[in-house]
Amino acid sequence: MIDRSAQPSSFGWQFQIATGISLALNNISRTRSINIEGPLQDVEITFFDGEILYGQAKAYGDTDVEETNNTGWKEKLSSAITGLFEDFLKHKTASEFKYLINYPYPLGKNKGGKTNFHQNDYGDIQGTELTDKQVKIIYDILKDCKDVDITSLSNEELDSEFNHFLQHLSIRTCRFTNFTSDRKFSQLDSLIRDFLNNNNFDVSVKKLRQYWFSKGFENSSQKFSLTRTEFLFAIALVDDVLSKTELFGRRFHAKKINQLYDRFVDVIASVTTLEDFNRKLVADILSYFKLNDMDDYYYDDEEAEEFTAYYLDSYTHYFKLPNLTNKEQQLLTRFALARCLEEQELMTRLFNKGEIKDAN
């Protein structure tokens, strides 16, 4: 389960994951992998063309983010801008450097002002859109910093690199407040919903978001690092197909299925990401239905029942659970295998990178 203690460290980690998910969804058609707490920055989105989006995520943990309690913004800003600029000097092939924050005055209210900054959306403000006063705040941070890579630049070099940096810099404000309830995820859930609707996926928004967060990431002891395939595969997994009490059109031991579901769903999630399992399943589908390509496969209850009966013994070991009778194990394996068949139409389309639409 996700840590909902709302402690500052946990809250900051959740904010990093939320911004990573939002950036991945906004760029899903070109995203190859998502990495939170990456080697260089808080958020790293790697694209198919090799470019990387670097993000510094700084969350303000107080429940109400107003100018009266928005303290510490300068330290957060200085740390983020210095880190992004340092990586810009080393990795100029990267196209985007983002400062990701959850409060409305990332450059301070007095001189930085609230112009262009708001908390109503996951919206980007480009460095080239900043006012002269806002640009000076960022420039002065770099001019006064003690980082060796930056201080080694002459004034002329710093000016030149900074102007180039501004063309690749953006600031993203994300509505994400330190509540212990799911209210903190309201804007992220809205973004996920847009993504699912754009791609005609009928999946629970909340369950999908919870699955992404639970991929380790109860706390920062593990790193959130998913390939695009692993990230999108969650859409199929959270469709809650195992909770159905019908198999091939017949009601089937609903009470027993519900009792075992919580144990079995973790096994399903693990097995269906195994390369050898998916390779075997595709090969068996092609062979059994005499198909040349998975694009030609369509799910049918009657045919799926015959398929699972024919291959049941060869798949049971994938879904093995201790302390089950042989009958119970076969029942759950039939459920799992049937739902895997049902998902193949979705998965074939899902992992064709050219057909998945970005979120709004």
Side-chain angles (χ1 to χ4, degrees):
M1 295 297 292
I2 298 170
D3 179 8
R4 301 198 180 280
S5 64
Q7 295 300 314
S9 59
S10 173
F11 175 70
W13 178 243
Q14 289 183 358
F15 179 69
Q16 289 183 9
I17 297 177
T19 54
I21 291 173
S22 72
L23 290 172
L25 293 178
N26 286 150
N27 299 278
I28 197 64
S29 61
R30 59 189 184 122
T31 292
R32 186 174 69 188
S33 64
I34 306 99
N35 198 329
I36 309 300
E37 284 288 352
L40 297 175
Q41 297 293 346
D42 296 334
V43 180
E44 297 179 15
I45 308 293
T46 303
F47 299 132
F48 284 109
D49 61 7
E51 293 187 350
I52 300 176
L53 187 160
Y54 292 108
Q56 272 278 331
K58 303 295 183 185
Y60 189 78
D62 283 2
T63 301
D64 297 313
V65 182
E66 300 293 344
E67 66 273 17
T68 55
N69 65 9
N70 186 11
T71 59
W73 65 267
K74 189 171 184 179
E75 290 78 7
K76 295 178 185 293
L77 176 66
S78 297
S79 173
I81 292 300
T82 299
L84 290 174
F85 187 67
E86 181 182 13
D87 281 339
F88 168 76
L89 295 176
K90 298 176 181 177
H91 307 278
K92 294 181 181 179
T93 57
S95 60
E96 299 181 55
F97 296 83
K98 291 188 183 293
Y99 180 33
L100 307 155
I101 44 82
N102 74 327
Y103 43 94
Y105 309 107
L107 306 180
K109 188 179 181 183
N110 293 334
K111 295 183 179 180
K114 59 182 179 180
T115 304
N116 293 331
F117 299 110
H118 51 82
Q119 285 197 289
N120 297 324
D121 205 350
Y122 279 76
D124 288 353
I125 303 301
Q126 304 300 316
T128 53
E129 297 177 313
L130 299 174
T131 66
D132 291 342
K133 288 184 178 180
Q134 291 170 339
V135 169
K136 187 177 186 304
I137 291 172
I138 296 176
Y139 178 81
D140 287 344
I141 288 173
L142 298 176
K143 190 174 182 180
D144 296 337
C145 82
K146 305 300 183 183
D147 185 274
V148 175
D149 290 332
I150 299 176
T151 56
S152 63
L153 299 174
S154 66
N155 290 336
E156 292 77 13
E157 289 172 332
L158 177 60
D159 290 347
S160 175
E161 296 289 7
F162 178 72
N163 289 331
H164 190 198
F165 176 60
L166 279 182
Q167 297 175 23
H168 298 270
L169 174 69
S170 61
I171 299 176
R172 167 169 291 204
T173 55
C174 312
R175 188 196 303 167
F176 195 82
T177 310
N178 198 10
F179 293 111
T180 56
S181 69
D182 274 5
R183 291 171 60 189
K184 72 175 75 173
F185 301 110
S186 61
Q187 193 61 30
L188 177 61
D189 285 352
S190 177
L191 186 71
I192 295 173
R193 184 175 295 106
D194 287 343
F195 168 74
L196 294 173
N197 289 340
N198 286 346
N199 292 281
N200 299 314
F201 294 141
D202 185 16
V203 176
S204 165
V205 172
K206 183 175 179 180
K207 287 185 178 180
L208 180 57
R209 184 248 300 162
Q210 289 176 337
Y211 179 86
W212 277 329
F213 270 76
S214 70
K215 285 301 292 179
F217 316 133
E218 302 99 351
N219 55 62
S220 58
S221 62
Q222 291 180 285
K223 307 302 182 186
F224 186 116
S225 180
L226 297 176
T227 65
R228 179 178 185 275
T229 297
E230 291 169 334
F231 182 73
L232 290 176
F233 191 72
I235 294 173
L237 293 181
V238 302
D239 196 22
D240 209 14
V241 291
L242 285 179
S243 66
K244 296 177 182 177
T245 58
E246 291 187 2
L247 181 62
F248 312 132
R250 300 191 298 270
R251 295 193 64 81
F252 198 43
H253 301 297
K255 183 177 181 180
K256 176 60 69 174
I257 290 293
N258 289 334
Q259 289 174 346
L260 298 173
Y261 172 71
D262 288 341
R263 295 172 59 196
F264 196 57
V265 71
D266 292 335
V267 178
I268 284 286
S270 175
V271 167
T272 49
T273 59
L274 295 176
E275 183 178 349
D276 68 305
F277 170 82
N278 288 289
R279 186 166 51 244
K280 172 177 171 55
L281 181 60
V282 169
D284 287 342
I285 290 174
L286 295 176
S287 174
Y288 186 82
F289 297 110
K290 297 180 172 58
L291 303 174
N292 294 320
D293 194 285
M294 282 301 297
D295 289 339
D296 299 325
Y297 172 72
Y298 295 93
Y299 178 85
D300 176 83
D301 258 353
E302 184 176 346
E303 291 179 343
E305 183 172 14
E306 295 171 354
F307 178 94
T308 57
Y310 185 84
Y311 285 107
L312 184 63
D313 289 343
S314 64
Y315 281 92
T316 302
H317 70 278
Y318 283 108
F319 306 101
K320 199 71 174 177
L321 276 178
N323 302 319
L324 291 186
T325 66
N326 184 60
K327 184 177 181 179
E328 290 170 342
Q329 184 66 61
Q330 287 188 341
L331 167 64
L332 290 178
T333 301
R334 287 170 69 82
F335 262 80
L337 193 53
R339 297 320 164 206
C340 288
L341 288 173
E342 197 173 17
E343 289 164 2
Q344 285 304 313
E345 291 179 71
L346 169 65
M347 302 309 294
T348 298
R349 178 164 58 95
L350 196 62
F351 295 143
N352 186 332
K353 70 179 181 182
E355 298 182 7
I356 298 298
K357 300 177 182 177
D358 298 346
N360 292 334

